[in-house]
Amino acid sequence: MSSLFPALTEGRTDRPALRFGHRSLTYAELATAADALAHRLTGHARVAVWATPTLETAVAVVAALRAGVAAVPLNPKSGEKELGHILGDSAPALVLAAPGDELPSPVRDLPRVGIDIDTACDTDTEAPGAGRLPDAPASGSASASASGSTSDSTSGSGSGSDSGSDDAPALVVYTSGTTGPPKGAVIPRRAISSTLDALADAWRWTGDDVLVHGLPLFHVHGLVLGILGPLRRGGSVRHLGRFTTEGVTRELTDGATMLFGVPTMYHRIAEALPDDPALATALSRARLLVSGSAALPVHDHERITSVTGQRVIERYGMTETLMNTSVRADGEPRPGTVGVPLPGVELRLVEEDGTPITSYDGETVGEIQVRGPNLFTGYLNRPDATAAAFTADGWFRTGDMAVRDPDGYVRIVGRKATDLIKSGGYKIGAGEIENALLEHPGVREAAVTGEPDADLGERIVAWVVPADPQSPPSAEELADHVARRLAPHKRPRVVHHLDALPRNDMGKIMKRALDRG
């Protein structure tokens, strides 16, 4: 039995815990509000959380964890079809939402608990056509469970306890669904605690740190790292609500020590720095700048460091594994890498036939496989997908391709499904070509894919957003640029100019949306 948030019961009563805009809670206030809500949740298997970037979402997730109930974060930007799939698959007993939130169909058909933080208790409201909120079942029973579900029962020990079996479900987070309907990754309590403790070691993260971020709270980056991370350390978090460079400047100037962001955010910072000395000063004071969810281009690394003297640390993780690797706070800065495996995480690269790559030379590309306490327990209701995701000896197949330097640093070159290009007998990662393209002064954004070629097998295709749309760099110029920096066989054979690249909510480029015709 272990507590995820020792600081809620260790006397840090008046210390700030959460701040969203002008609204904040101390640890004592958070414990009071979360425990009042947890009392209504105990005994249910799963509850949905309408995951807006608000104080209510943070309190709802903490309450669920305190009650030993799995929380299912819902993306407020999801369409009705996707929401219907998630709710049908996870079968939550009810939905937690701020009193003023307007919920779309089919979410509004669930029994609803409104979160009234100001009075530190939950307020029952009735969803149209839904009837009264059901009483919580007896402890240990499951409510509204799905047929064939896994990890359906809970082992929480009552509201306010914040303890439970290490393998008990804590969250069910749905994947992006790029290869089919979203799958619910069941994340146990041990995965959250082991990841956050490993990051504390790697980043020297303590209760004295104050984190600022503006990430969504339906994703593991914004929710687990950005909200639960500071609470586990006994520190505090300031959420911007919506990311702006002005907000970053304000919070880092006002004592925040850490910044979490995605590459899109750091790109905006890099663009703003030359004309914003206050931002440069604020960033130079930060203890740690962390980027994740996608690779941060080397060009943006260099622009930020040249103005602020600060380096941006990258880490690598995914929904099913939480965090796997990171550049350490006391490690060698090496832009373009995601560092070394975190404490407790085993990582290997394998060939296409599953043979482990034993010689790390910084050039040989292989698929990343990992195992450790940070892993999920399986996909909800999908034993077939769960079995396919693991090797016979227990390693999780990430689908990410990488090379590894002799000293263990990992450099990701792309996804196996979309970023591994086999051209002329070579295995080429799209990521390194994208970084090379971004070093060209005429390129603002870049993505690289492969398309069938009768001679080469696949040819390299570049999708470029030019810095000056009226005078874009030619295909020949970009091909020569890449050939000089990398190798001739890595040059793009086709170049498309675009106004913008398609991206998801976390800033990742959606390559499947690019027209390859």
Side-chain angles (χ1 to χ4, degrees), residues 90-110:
S90 62
L94 48 88
V95 61
L96 307 179
D101 285 344
E102 293 186 10
L103 304 181
S105 176
V107 182
R108 62 171 173 260
D109 297 330
L110 284 173

Side-chain angles (χ1 to χ4, degrees), residues 4 59 77 275 297 305 335 348 378 392 406 433 454 458:
L4 288 175
V59 170
K77 294 184 179 180
D275 301 313
T305 300
R348 70 183 184 186
I433 303 174
E458 283 186 292

Side-chain angles (χ1 to χ4, degrees), residues 373-386:
N374 56 309
L375 266 61
F376 75 139
T377 56
Y379 295 112
L380 189 66
N381 303 323
R382 292 291 305 276
D384 56 334
T386 301

Side-chain angles (χ1 to χ4, degrees), residues 18 20 58 211 213 217 222-231 237 239:
L18 302 167
F20 285 71
L211 171 67
H213 79 84
L217 300 189
L223 178 60
V224 176
L225 272 63
I227 299 296
L228 306 186
L231 295 181
V237 57
H239 197 284

